[in-house]
mmCIF file of all heavy atoms in Angstrom:
data_model
loop_
_atom_site.group_PDB
_atom_site.id
_atom_site.type_symbol
_atom_site.label_atom_id
_atom_site.label_comp_id
_atom_site.label_asym_id
_atom_site.label_seq_id
_atom_site.Cartn_x
_atom_site.Cartn_y
_atom_site.Cartn_z
ATOM 1 N N TYR B 1133 -136.050 -91.782 -161.834
ATOM 2 C CA TYR B 1133 -136.959 -92.845 -161.449
ATOM 3 C C TYR B 1133 -137.548 -93.440 -162.720
ATOM 4 O O TYR B 1133 -138.223 -92.752 -163.479
ATOM 5 C CB TYR B 1133 -138.069 -92.324 -160.537
ATOM 6 C CG TYR B 1133 -139.052 -93.388 -160.109
ATOM 7 C CD1 TYR B 1133 -138.681 -94.365 -159.198
ATOM 8 C CD2 TYR B 1133 -140.329 -93.432 -160.651
ATOM 9 C CE1 TYR B 1133 -139.564 -95.352 -158.804
ATOM 10 C CE2 TYR B 1133 -141.232 -94.420 -160.265
ATOM 11 C CZ TYR B 1133 -140.848 -95.372 -159.347
ATOM 12 O OH TYR B 1133 -141.724 -96.362 -158.969
ATOM 13 N N ARG B 1134 -137.240 -94.702 -162.966
ATOM 14 C CA ARG B 1134 -137.703 -95.406 -164.171
ATOM 15 C C ARG B 1134 -137.396 -94.620 -165.440
ATOM 16 O O ARG B 1134 -138.236 -94.455 -166.323
ATOM 17 C CB ARG B 1134 -139.188 -95.711 -164.074
ATOM 18 C CG ARG B 1134 -139.495 -96.691 -162.968
ATOM 19 C CD ARG B 1134 -140.927 -97.122 -163.011
ATOM 20 N NE ARG B 1134 -141.158 -98.120 -161.968
ATOM 21 C CZ ARG B 1134 -142.316 -98.678 -161.737
ATOM 22 N NH1 ARG B 1134 -143.364 -98.355 -162.461
ATOM 23 N NH2 ARG B 1134 -142.450 -99.564 -160.795
ATOM 24 N N GLY B 1135 -136.178 -94.095 -165.480
ATOM 25 C CA GLY B 1135 -135.726 -93.401 -166.680
ATOM 26 C C GLY B 1135 -136.157 -91.951 -166.787
ATOM 27 O O GLY B 1135 -135.746 -91.252 -167.702
ATOM 28 N N ALA B 1136 -137.000 -91.484 -165.881
ATOM 29 C CA ALA B 1136 -137.451 -90.096 -165.934
ATOM 30 C C ALA B 1136 -136.764 -89.291 -164.828
ATOM 31 O O ALA B 1136 -136.666 -89.745 -163.693
ATOM 32 C CB ALA B 1136 -138.964 -90.028 -165.768
ATOM 33 N N GLU B 1137 -136.316 -88.121 -165.184
ATOM 34 C CA GLU B 1137 -135.670 -87.249 -164.203
ATOM 35 C C GLU B 1137 -136.729 -86.369 -163.544
ATOM 36 O O GLU B 1137 -137.628 -85.851 -164.211
ATOM 37 C CB GLU B 1137 -134.633 -86.373 -164.898
ATOM 38 C CG GLU B 1137 -133.769 -85.581 -163.948
ATOM 39 C CD GLU B 1137 -132.649 -84.846 -164.668
ATOM 40 O OE1 GLU B 1137 -131.732 -85.503 -165.164
ATOM 41 O OE2 GLU B 1137 -132.741 -83.612 -164.720
ATOM 42 N N TYR B 1138 -136.650 -86.233 -162.245
ATOM 43 C CA TYR B 1138 -137.584 -85.347 -161.541
ATOM 44 C C TYR B 1138 -136.850 -84.606 -160.435
ATOM 45 O O TYR B 1138 -135.801 -85.018 -159.975
ATOM 46 C CB TYR B 1138 -138.786 -86.123 -160.997
ATOM 47 C CG TYR B 1138 -138.468 -87.108 -159.901
ATOM 48 C CD1 TYR B 1138 -138.665 -86.777 -158.562
ATOM 49 C CD2 TYR B 1138 -137.973 -88.378 -160.194
ATOM 50 C CE1 TYR B 1138 -138.371 -87.679 -157.558
ATOM 51 C CE2 TYR B 1138 -137.671 -89.281 -159.196
ATOM 52 C CZ TYR B 1138 -137.874 -88.929 -157.884
ATOM 53 O OH TYR B 1138 -137.575 -89.817 -156.886
ATOM 54 N N VAL B 1139 -137.436 -83.491 -160.027
ATOM 55 C CA VAL B 1139 -136.812 -82.622 -159.030
ATOM 56 C C VAL B 1139 -137.391 -82.926 -157.658
ATOM 57 O O VAL B 1139 -138.602 -83.014 -157.486
ATOM 58 C CB VAL B 1139 -137.057 -81.138 -159.384
ATOM 59 C CG1 VAL B 1139 -136.477 -80.224 -158.301
ATOM 60 C CG2 VAL B 1139 -136.451 -80.811 -160.740
ATOM 61 N N VAL B 1140 -136.497 -83.083 -156.678
ATOM 62 C CA VAL B 1140 -136.902 -83.241 -155.286
ATOM 63 C C VAL B 1140 -136.686 -81.873 -154.633
ATOM 64 O O VAL B 1140 -135.553 -81.494 -154.336
ATOM 65 C CB VAL B 1140 -136.073 -84.331 -154.573
ATOM 66 C CG1 VAL B 1140 -136.479 -84.441 -153.112
ATOM 67 C CG2 VAL B 1140 -136.223 -85.664 -155.282
ATOM 68 N N ASP B 1141 -137.776 -81.113 -154.485
ATOM 69 C CA ASP B 1141 -137.670 -79.756 -153.938
ATOM 70 C C ASP B 1141 -137.453 -79.752 -152.426
ATOM 71 O O ASP B 1141 -136.754 -78.908 -151.890
ATOM 72 C CB ASP B 1141 -138.932 -78.954 -154.245
ATOM 73 C CG ASP B 1141 -139.042 -78.634 -155.724
ATOM 74 O OD1 ASP B 1141 -138.000 -78.493 -156.384
ATOM 75 O OD2 ASP B 1141 -140.174 -78.525 -156.218
ATOM 76 N N PHE B 1142 -138.111 -80.674 -151.736
ATOM 77 C CA PHE B 1142 -138.045 -80.711 -150.282
ATOM 78 C C PHE B 1142 -137.298 -81.957 -149.841
ATOM 79 O O PHE B 1142 -137.642 -83.059 -150.229
ATOM 80 C CB PHE B 1142 -139.451 -80.691 -149.679
ATOM 81 C CG PHE B 1142 -140.201 -79.434 -149.989
ATOM 82 C CD1 PHE B 1142 -141.142 -79.398 -150.999
ATOM 83 C CD2 PHE B 1142 -139.943 -78.273 -149.276
ATOM 84 C CE1 PHE B 1142 -141.819 -78.234 -151.293
ATOM 85 C CE2 PHE B 1142 -140.616 -77.104 -149.557
ATOM 86 C CZ PHE B 1142 -141.557 -77.084 -150.573
ATOM 87 N N LEU B 1143 -136.298 -81.751 -148.996
ATOM 88 C CA LEU B 1143 -135.470 -82.851 -148.531
ATOM 89 C C LEU B 1143 -135.964 -83.332 -147.171
ATOM 90 O O LEU B 1143 -136.410 -82.525 -146.349
ATOM 91 C CB LEU B 1143 -134.020 -82.397 -148.424
ATOM 92 C CG LEU B 1143 -133.424 -81.899 -149.744
ATOM 93 C CD1 LEU B 1143 -132.063 -81.283 -149.504
ATOM 94 C CD2 LEU B 1143 -133.322 -83.040 -150.743
ATOM 95 N N PRO B 1144 -135.872 -84.639 -146.901
ATOM 96 C CA PRO B 1144 -136.304 -85.144 -145.598
ATOM 97 C C PRO B 1144 -135.366 -84.671 -144.492
ATOM 98 O O PRO B 1144 -134.146 -84.708 -144.640
ATOM 99 C CB PRO B 1144 -136.252 -86.657 -145.761
ATOM 100 C CG PRO B 1144 -135.330 -86.905 -146.898
ATOM 101 C CD PRO B 1144 -135.391 -85.698 -147.778
ATOM 102 N N LYS B 1145 -135.949 -84.220 -143.409
ATOM 103 C CA LYS B 1145 -135.203 -83.761 -142.241
ATOM 104 C C LYS B 1145 -135.916 -84.265 -140.988
ATOM 105 O O LYS B 1145 -137.028 -84.756 -141.047
ATOM 106 C CB LYS B 1145 -135.135 -82.225 -142.185
ATOM 107 C CG LYS B 1145 -134.461 -81.564 -143.370
ATOM 108 C CD LYS B 1145 -132.978 -81.796 -143.358
ATOM 109 C CE LYS B 1145 -132.323 -81.089 -144.542
ATOM 110 N NZ LYS B 1145 -130.891 -81.268 -144.539
ATOM 111 N N ILE B 1146 -135.265 -84.110 -139.843
ATOM 112 C CA ILE B 1146 -135.842 -84.452 -138.547
ATOM 113 C C ILE B 1146 -135.892 -83.183 -137.713
ATOM 114 O O ILE B 1146 -134.906 -82.443 -137.636
ATOM 115 C CB ILE B 1146 -134.996 -85.519 -137.820
ATOM 116 C CG1 ILE B 1146 -134.987 -86.837 -138.582
ATOM 117 C CG2 ILE B 1146 -135.475 -85.716 -136.387
ATOM 118 C CD1 ILE B 1146 -136.306 -87.561 -138.615
ATOM 119 N N LYS B 1147 -137.040 -82.933 -137.096
ATOM 120 C CA LYS B 1147 -137.176 -81.795 -136.189
ATOM 121 C C LYS B 1147 -137.240 -82.326 -134.768
ATOM 122 O O LYS B 1147 -138.062 -83.178 -134.453
ATOM 123 C CB LYS B 1147 -138.436 -80.983 -136.506
ATOM 124 C CG LYS B 1147 -138.612 -79.797 -135.556
ATOM 125 C CD LYS B 1147 -139.653 -78.815 -136.050
ATOM 126 C CE LYS B 1147 -141.040 -79.267 -135.763
ATOM 127 N NZ LYS B 1147 -142.045 -78.213 -136.007
ATOM 128 N N ILE B 1148 -136.341 -81.826 -133.919
ATOM 129 C CA ILE B 1148 -136.295 -82.212 -132.510
ATOM 130 C C ILE B 1148 -136.680 -80.989 -131.689
ATOM 131 O O ILE B 1148 -136.141 -79.897 -131.914
ATOM 132 C CB ILE B 1148 -134.883 -82.677 -132.111
ATOM 133 C CG1 ILE B 1148 -134.462 -83.877 -132.959
ATOM 134 C CG2 ILE B 1148 -134.828 -83.009 -130.622
ATOM 135 C CD1 ILE B 1148 -133.018 -84.265 -132.784
ATOM 136 N N GLU B 1149 -137.598 -81.178 -130.739
ATOM 137 C CA GLU B 1149 -138.010 -80.090 -129.861
ATOM 138 C C GLU B 1149 -137.751 -80.494 -128.409
ATOM 139 O O GLU B 1149 -138.132 -81.585 -127.993
ATOM 140 C CB GLU B 1149 -139.485 -79.770 -130.063
ATOM 141 C CG GLU B 1149 -139.781 -79.255 -131.461
ATOM 142 C CD GLU B 1149 -141.257 -79.127 -131.741
ATOM 143 O OE1 GLU B 1149 -141.964 -80.145 -131.662
ATOM 144 O OE2 GLU B 1149 -141.687 -77.992 -132.013
ATOM 145 N N ILE B 1150 -137.103 -79.595 -127.671
ATOM 146 C CA ILE B 1150 -136.751 -79.851 -126.275
ATOM 147 C C ILE B 1150 -137.082 -78.606 -125.469
ATOM 148 O O ILE B 1150 -136.678 -77.501 -125.843
ATOM 149 C CB ILE B 1150 -135.242 -80.131 -126.127
ATOM 150 C CG1 ILE B 1150 -134.820 -81.296 -127.011
ATOM 151 C CG2 ILE B 1150 -134.875 -80.377 -124.671
ATOM 152 C CD1 ILE B 1150 -133.355 -81.308 -127.333
ATOM 153 N N VAL B 1151 -137.806 -78.765 -124.372
ATOM 154 C CA VAL B 1151 -138.016 -77.663 -123.434
ATOM 155 C C VAL B 1151 -137.067 -77.899 -122.267
ATOM 156 O O VAL B 1151 -137.041 -78.988 -121.697
ATOM 157 C CB VAL B 1151 -139.480 -77.595 -122.955
ATOM 158 C CG1 VAL B 1151 -139.638 -76.513 -121.902
ATOM 159 C CG2 VAL B 1151 -140.414 -77.341 -124.124
ATOM 160 N N THR B 1152 -136.280 -76.880 -121.954
ATOM 161 C CA THR B 1152 -135.273 -77.027 -120.909
ATOM 162 C C THR B 1152 -135.158 -75.758 -120.087
ATOM 163 O O THR B 1152 -135.617 -74.693 -120.507
ATOM 164 C CB THR B 1152 -133.905 -77.404 -121.535
ATOM 165 O OG1 THR B 1152 -132.992 -77.749 -120.514
ATOM 166 C CG2 THR B 1152 -133.341 -76.282 -122.368
ATOM 167 N N ALA B 1153 -134.530 -75.865 -118.939
ATOM 168 C CA ALA B 1153 -134.263 -74.700 -118.098
ATOM 169 C C ALA B 1153 -133.312 -73.768 -118.837
ATOM 170 O O ALA B 1153 -132.433 -74.215 -119.586
ATOM 171 C CB ALA B 1153 -133.661 -75.139 -116.774
ATOM 172 N N THR B 1154 -133.456 -72.487 -118.618
ATOM 173 C CA THR B 1154 -132.617 -71.489 -119.283
ATOM 174 C C THR B 1154 -131.137 -71.747 -119.032
ATOM 175 O O THR B 1154 -130.308 -71.561 -119.922
ATOM 176 C CB THR B 1154 -133.009 -70.073 -118.812
ATOM 177 O OG1 THR B 1154 -134.412 -69.887 -119.087
ATOM 178 C CG2 THR B 1154 -132.230 -69.006 -119.529
ATOM 179 N N ASP B 1155 -130.786 -72.208 -117.847
ATOM 180 C CA ASP B 1155 -129.381 -72.473 -117.505
ATOM 181 C C ASP B 1155 -128.767 -73.616 -118.314
ATOM 182 O O ASP B 1155 -127.547 -73.693 -118.448
ATOM 183 C CB ASP B 1155 -129.245 -72.809 -116.015
ATOM 184 C CG ASP B 1155 -129.650 -71.643 -115.123
ATOM 185 O OD1 ASP B 1155 -129.698 -70.501 -115.622
ATOM 186 O OD2 ASP B 1155 -129.918 -71.885 -113.936
ATOM 187 N N ASP B 1156 -129.595 -74.513 -118.843
ATOM 188 C CA ASP B 1156 -129.100 -75.694 -119.566
ATOM 189 C C ASP B 1156 -129.045 -75.510 -121.076
ATOM 190 O O ASP B 1156 -128.611 -76.418 -121.793
ATOM 191 C CB ASP B 1156 -129.984 -76.904 -119.249
ATOM 192 C CG ASP B 1156 -129.897 -77.315 -117.796
ATOM 193 O OD1 ASP B 1156 -128.852 -77.050 -117.172
ATOM 194 O OD2 ASP B 1156 -130.875 -77.905 -117.291
ATOM 195 N N VAL B 1157 -129.448 -74.354 -121.575
ATOM 196 C CA VAL B 1157 -129.560 -74.149 -123.023
ATOM 197 C C VAL B 1157 -128.234 -74.376 -123.735
ATOM 198 O O VAL B 1157 -128.177 -75.099 -124.743
ATOM 199 C CB VAL B 1157 -130.117 -72.744 -123.340
ATOM 200 C CG1 VAL B 1157 -129.999 -72.417 -124.813
ATOM 201 C CG2 VAL B 1157 -131.572 -72.649 -122.915
ATOM 202 N N GLU B 1158 -127.162 -73.798 -123.252
ATOM 203 C CA GLU B 1158 -125.864 -73.927 -123.936
ATOM 204 C C GLU B 1158 -125.380 -75.371 -123.973
ATOM 205 O O GLU B 1158 -124.820 -75.810 -124.982
ATOM 206 C CB GLU B 1158 -124.823 -73.014 -123.289
ATOM 207 C CG GLU B 1158 -125.076 -71.537 -123.535
ATOM 208 C CD GLU B 1158 -125.212 -71.168 -125.002
ATOM 209 O OE1 GLU B 1158 -124.421 -71.683 -125.833
ATOM 210 O OE2 GLU B 1158 -126.112 -70.378 -125.334
ATOM 211 N N ARG B 1159 -125.579 -76.132 -122.891
ATOM 212 C CA ARG B 1159 -125.169 -77.543 -122.877
ATOM 213 C C ARG B 1159 -125.956 -78.338 -123.908
ATOM 214 O O ARG B 1159 -125.395 -79.194 -124.595
ATOM 215 C CB ARG B 1159 -125.381 -78.153 -121.491
ATOM 216 C CG ARG B 1159 -124.404 -77.671 -120.460
ATOM 217 C CD ARG B 1159 -124.541 -78.330 -119.093
ATOM 218 N NE ARG B 1159 -125.872 -78.803 -118.750
ATOM 219 C CZ ARG B 1159 -126.173 -80.079 -118.493
ATOM 220 N NH1 ARG B 1159 -125.258 -81.010 -118.547
ATOM 221 N NH2 ARG B 1159 -127.399 -80.411 -118.163
ATOM 222 N N VAL B 1160 -127.251 -78.073 -124.016
ATOM 223 C CA VAL B 1160 -128.087 -78.785 -124.985
ATOM 224 C C VAL B 1160 -127.666 -78.428 -126.410
ATOM 225 O O VAL B 1160 -127.508 -79.314 -127.262
ATOM 226 C CB VAL B 1160 -129.589 -78.473 -124.753
ATOM 227 C CG1 VAL B 1160 -130.446 -79.054 -125.868
ATOM 228 C CG2 VAL B 1160 -130.036 -79.004 -123.403
ATOM 229 N N ILE B 1161 -127.452 -77.155 -126.670
ATOM 230 C CA ILE B 1161 -127.022 -76.728 -128.004
ATOM 231 C C ILE B 1161 -125.686 -77.369 -128.366
ATOM 232 O O ILE B 1161 -125.507 -77.884 -129.471
ATOM 233 C CB ILE B 1161 -126.939 -75.193 -128.085
ATOM 234 C CG1 ILE B 1161 -128.340 -74.590 -128.048
ATOM 235 C CG2 ILE B 1161 -126.202 -74.749 -129.346
ATOM 236 C CD1 ILE B 1161 -128.358 -73.083 -127.918
ATOM 237 N N ASP B 1162 -124.733 -77.349 -127.441
ATOM 238 C CA ASP B 1162 -123.416 -77.948 -127.710
ATOM 239 C C ASP B 1162 -123.537 -79.434 -128.034
ATOM 240 O O ASP B 1162 -122.882 -79.937 -128.952
ATOM 241 C CB ASP B 1162 -122.482 -77.762 -126.518
ATOM 242 C CG ASP B 1162 -122.007 -76.327 -126.360
ATOM 243 O OD1 ASP B 1162 -122.134 -75.542 -127.329
ATOM 244 O OD2 ASP B 1162 -121.522 -75.991 -125.262
ATOM 245 N N ALA B 1163 -124.378 -80.148 -127.287
ATOM 246 C CA ALA B 1163 -124.556 -81.584 -127.533
ATOM 247 C C ALA B 1163 -125.152 -81.829 -128.917
ATOM 248 O O ALA B 1163 -124.726 -82.737 -129.637
ATOM 249 C CB ALA B 1163 -125.455 -82.192 -126.458
ATOM 250 N N ILE B 1164 -126.116 -81.010 -129.318
ATOM 251 C CA ILE B 1164 -126.742 -81.175 -130.639
ATOM 252 C C ILE B 1164 -125.734 -80.879 -131.741
ATOM 253 O O ILE B 1164 -125.582 -81.655 -132.694
ATOM 254 C CB ILE B 1164 -127.987 -80.284 -130.782
ATOM 255 C CG1 ILE B 1164 -129.091 -80.732 -129.813
ATOM 256 C CG2 ILE B 1164 -128.508 -80.317 -132.220
ATOM 257 C CD1 ILE B 1164 -130.253 -79.770 -129.696
ATOM 258 N N VAL B 1165 -125.025 -79.762 -131.611
ATOM 259 C CA VAL B 1165 -124.063 -79.373 -132.650
ATOM 260 C C VAL B 1165 -122.973 -80.433 -132.814
ATOM 261 O O VAL B 1165 -122.656 -80.850 -133.934
ATOM 262 C CB VAL B 1165 -123.441 -77.994 -132.339
ATOM 263 C CG1 VAL B 1165 -122.255 -77.706 -133.254
ATOM 264 C CG2 VAL B 1165 -124.490 -76.905 -132.471
ATOM 265 N N LYS B 1166 -122.397 -80.881 -131.720
ATOM 266 C CA LYS B 1166 -121.311 -81.866 -131.794
ATOM 267 C C LYS B 1166 -121.770 -83.190 -132.396
ATOM 268 O O LYS B 1166 -121.030 -83.841 -133.131
ATOM 269 C CB LYS B 1166 -120.714 -82.098 -130.415
ATOM 270 C CG LYS B 1166 -119.868 -80.941 -129.939
ATOM 271 C CD LYS B 1166 -119.357 -81.169 -128.539
ATOM 272 C CE LYS B 1166 -118.572 -79.954 -128.063
ATOM 273 N NZ LYS B 1166 -118.217 -80.026 -126.650
ATOM 274 N N SER B 1167 -122.988 -83.605 -132.102
ATOM 275 C CA SER B 1167 -123.446 -84.910 -132.583
ATOM 276 C C SER B 1167 -124.105 -84.857 -133.959
ATOM 277 O O SER B 1167 -124.166 -85.870 -134.652
ATOM 278 C CB SER B 1167 -124.405 -85.533 -131.566
ATOM 279 O OG SER B 1167 -125.495 -84.682 -131.323
ATOM 280 N N ALA B 1168 -124.584 -83.692 -134.401
ATOM 281 C CA ALA B 1168 -125.284 -83.599 -135.685
ATOM 282 C C ALA B 1168 -124.392 -83.092 -136.815
ATOM 283 O O ALA B 1168 -124.754 -83.222 -137.983
ATOM 284 C CB ALA B 1168 -126.507 -82.688 -135.552
ATOM 285 N N LYS B 1169 -123.250 -82.549 -136.485
ATOM 286 C CA LYS B 1169 -122.403 -81.916 -137.494
ATOM 287 C C LYS B 1169 -121.694 -82.930 -138.377
ATOM 288 O O LYS B 1169 -121.074 -83.869 -137.887
ATOM 289 C CB LYS B 1169 -121.364 -81.033 -136.806
ATOM 290 C CG LYS B 1169 -120.501 -80.254 -137.746
ATOM 291 C CD LYS B 1169 -119.575 -79.337 -136.974
ATOM 292 C CE LYS B 1169 -118.765 -78.507 -137.944
ATOM 293 N NZ LYS B 1169 -117.929 -77.538 -137.222
ATOM 294 N N THR B 1170 -121.818 -82.739 -139.701
ATOM 295 C CA THR B 1170 -121.051 -83.524 -140.667
ATOM 296 C C THR B 1170 -120.039 -82.641 -141.387
ATOM 297 O O THR B 1170 -119.135 -83.139 -142.032
ATOM 298 C CB THR B 1170 -121.964 -84.176 -141.728
ATOM 299 O OG1 THR B 1170 -122.551 -83.142 -142.534
ATOM 300 C CG2 THR B 1170 -123.035 -85.032 -141.102
ATOM 301 N N GLY B 1171 -120.238 -81.325 -141.319
ATOM 302 C CA GLY B 1171 -119.367 -80.400 -142.025
ATOM 303 C C GLY B 1171 -119.793 -80.144 -143.455
ATOM 304 O O GLY B 1171 -119.127 -79.424 -144.193
ATOM 305 N N LYS B 1172 -120.917 -80.715 -143.844
ATOM 306 C CA LYS B 1172 -121.418 -80.545 -145.206
ATOM 307 C C LYS B 1172 -122.689 -79.709 -145.197
ATOM 308 O O LYS B 1172 -123.380 -79.607 -144.177
ATOM 309 C CB LYS B 1172 -121.688 -81.905 -145.838
ATOM 310 C CG LYS B 1172 -120.432 -82.734 -145.972
ATOM 311 C CD LYS B 1172 -120.683 -83.994 -146.737
ATOM 312 C CE LYS B 1172 -119.354 -84.663 -146.973
ATOM 313 N NZ LYS B 1172 -119.286 -85.995 -146.514
ATOM 314 N N ILE B 1173 -123.026 -79.160 -146.334
ATOM 315 C CA ILE B 1173 -124.239 -78.357 -146.454
ATOM 316 C C ILE B 1173 -125.452 -79.206 -146.073
ATOM 317 O O ILE B 1173 -125.494 -80.404 -146.348
ATOM 318 C CB ILE B 1173 -124.366 -77.770 -147.883
ATOM 319 C CG1 ILE B 1173 -125.416 -76.673 -147.915
ATOM 320 C CG2 ILE B 1173 -124.655 -78.858 -148.891
ATOM 321 C CD1 ILE B 1173 -125.358 -75.828 -149.178
ATOM 322 N N GLY B 1174 -126.406 -78.596 -145.389
ATOM 323 C CA GLY B 1174 -127.613 -79.314 -144.998
ATOM 324 C C GLY B 1174 -127.573 -79.914 -143.610
ATOM 325 O O GLY B 1174 -128.443 -80.686 -143.240
ATOM 326 N N ASP B 1175 -126.556 -79.573 -142.814
ATOM 327 C CA ASP B 1175 -126.462 -80.104 -141.451
ATOM 328 C C ASP B 1175 -127.638 -79.653 -140.585
ATOM 329 O O ASP B 1175 -128.003 -80.339 -139.643
ATOM 330 C CB ASP B 1175 -125.158 -79.691 -140.780
ATOM 331 C CG ASP B 1175 -124.007 -80.627 -141.108
ATOM 332 O OD1 ASP B 1175 -124.259 -81.678 -141.733
ATOM 333 O OD2 ASP B 1175 -122.867 -80.309 -140.735
ATOM 334 N N GLY B 1176 -128.221 -78.493 -140.883
ATOM 335 C CA GLY B 1176 -129.413 -78.074 -140.173
ATOM 336 C C GLY B 1176 -129.266 -76.760 -139.438
ATOM 337 O O GLY B 1176 -128.303 -76.018 -139.621
#
């Protein structure tokens, strides 16, 4: 930044919270994994 190097210790992320019935947990997890996955470090 303006010729000076600095360390970014904390990276921006998004936290999503969902309350769901116990029976729906696997469907919700699968939907999140399939849509959020990039295959690179830091996917979450």
Side-chain angles (χ1 to χ4, degrees):
Y1133 180 72
R1134 294 188 177 179
E1137 188 173 291
Y1138 67 98
V1139 177
V1140 178
D1141 290 330
F1142 297 100
L1143 301 172
K1145 300 288 181 179
I1146 296 292
K1147 179 167 80 169
I1148 300 171
E1149 296 172 301
I1150 303 158
V1151 176
T1152 189
T1154 303
D1155 297 342
D1156 295 333
V1157 169
E1158 290 306 318
R1159 288 184 332 119
V1160 172
I1161 290 172
D1162 288 343
I1164 294 169
V1165 169
K1166 287 177 183 172
S1167 57
K1169 184 176 183 176
T1170 67
K1172 297 187 173 125
I1173 194 166
D1175 275 352

